[in-house]
Amino acid sequence: MKIDITTLSGDAAGSIELDDAIFGLTPREDLIARMVRYQLAKRRAGTHKTKGRAEIARTGKKLYKQKGTGSARHGSARVPQFRGGGRAFGPVVRSHAHDLPKKVRALALKHALSAKAQDGGIIVWSDAKASDAKTKGLKASFAHIGLTNALIIDSAEPEANFCLAARNIPQIDVLPVQGINVYDILRRDKLVLTKAAIDALEARFK
């Protein structure tokens, strides 16, 4: 798959051949959905908690005698039926993460990249550099090329000025190539890859 390379200012800078084994697959929605569910489950804090009947600070004395009152046979004021009692089957602190095989995760990333390529949502830059760490100048450059909602993937160490300038622009994310993931690819309209990022991706999947 051949795609044009541009610069940050929108000028042509040649072309590059993308590996069909990474960018040319027929996207499988089931794999992508499994990966998104895996990522979102893993990031959940799981700190929700309510008190059960054993954790309520209340007397353990029997409320009233067992027989002869005409009322229900209660033995504790901590039970869920009473105001201030424990919660029955309430949430507890736990991890929501679940396992997903490493090969499935790698395949899901390939399918997400292929889906973005199929939709024409991939842009390739020669590099991602800024002369200074000024948001105003970078925002003007993005407006010039019509980039408003994008995930930008650079080499293992993105340029500091570019990251500083881009971090305050809404709906623009900048990640090193090792941080590329399915969820962030899908949540942005465009995926911008530098040549260095493409080289790193192809080397990673070989």
Side-chain angles (χ1 to χ4, degrees):
M1 179 181 177
K2 199 170 187 179
I3 190 168
D4 294 331
I5 301 174
T6 59
T7 63
L8 185 55
S9 58
D11 299 326
S15 61
I16 190 171
E17 191 73 29
L18 299 180
D19 190 350
D20 285 339
I22 302 172
F23 297 92
L25 302 174
T26 302
R28 279 182 55 185
E29 292 182 4
D30 61 316
L31 278 178
I32 295 172
R34 283 178 69 187
M35 187 61 192
V36 169
R37 180 174 175 270
Y38 167 82
Q39 284 187 243
L40 295 183
K42 196 173 182 181
R43 70 166 59 179
R44 289 183 66 178
T47 52
H48 42 13
K49 177 74 173 71
T50 58
K51 287 186 177 181
R53 61 181 291 180
E55 299 169 301
I56 298 296
R58 183 174 280 187
T59 179
K61 182 183 177 182
K62 188 171 174 64
L63 297 176
Y64 41 77
K65 65 181 183 177
Q66 178 81 349
K67 292 181 177 292
T69 65
S71 297
R73 298 170 291 184
H74 289 298
S76 172
R78 302 190 186 106
V79 294
Q81 293 96 307
F82 294 122
R83 182 183 179 89
R87 170 81 181 272
F89 307 113
V92 294
V93 176
R94 67 187 181 91
S95 170
H96 291 270
H98 59 269
D99 291 333
L100 194 64
K102 188 175 181 180
K103 288 184 179 180
V104 174
R105 294 187 309 228
L107 191 59
L109 180 56
K110 290 181 184 179
H111 280 264
L113 291 168
S114 296
K116 192 62 76 171
Q118 194 178 80
D119 294 341
I122 289 183
I123 299 171
V124 179
W125 285 352
S126 53
D127 55 41
K129 295 181 180 179
S131 56
D132 52 25
K134 297 293 183 182
T135 299
K136 184 178 180 180
L138 191 61
K139 194 172 182 180
S141 297
F142 287 170
H144 176 69
I145 60 177
L147 198 67
T148 57
N149 188 312
L151 170 65
I152 301 169
I153 304 294
D154 200 359
S155 60
E157 293 184 5
E159 193 203 32
N161 282 346
F162 186 85
C163 291
L164 290 171
R167 70 180 180 180
N168 203 34
I169 303 176
Q171 298 182 329
I172 297 291
D173 299 323
V174 180
L175 290 175
V177 68
Q178 62 267 29
I180 190 170
N181 63 88
V182 172
Y183 180 67
D184 282 332
I185 290 172
L186 296 180
R187 69 193 287 262
R188 296 298 177 207
D189 292 341
K190 298 292 183 182
L191 173 62
V192 180
L193 300 168
T194 63
K195 285 178 66 178
I198 291 174
D199 291 341
L201 280 172
E202 291 182 348
R204 171 178 169 179
F205 286 121
K206 277 185 179 178

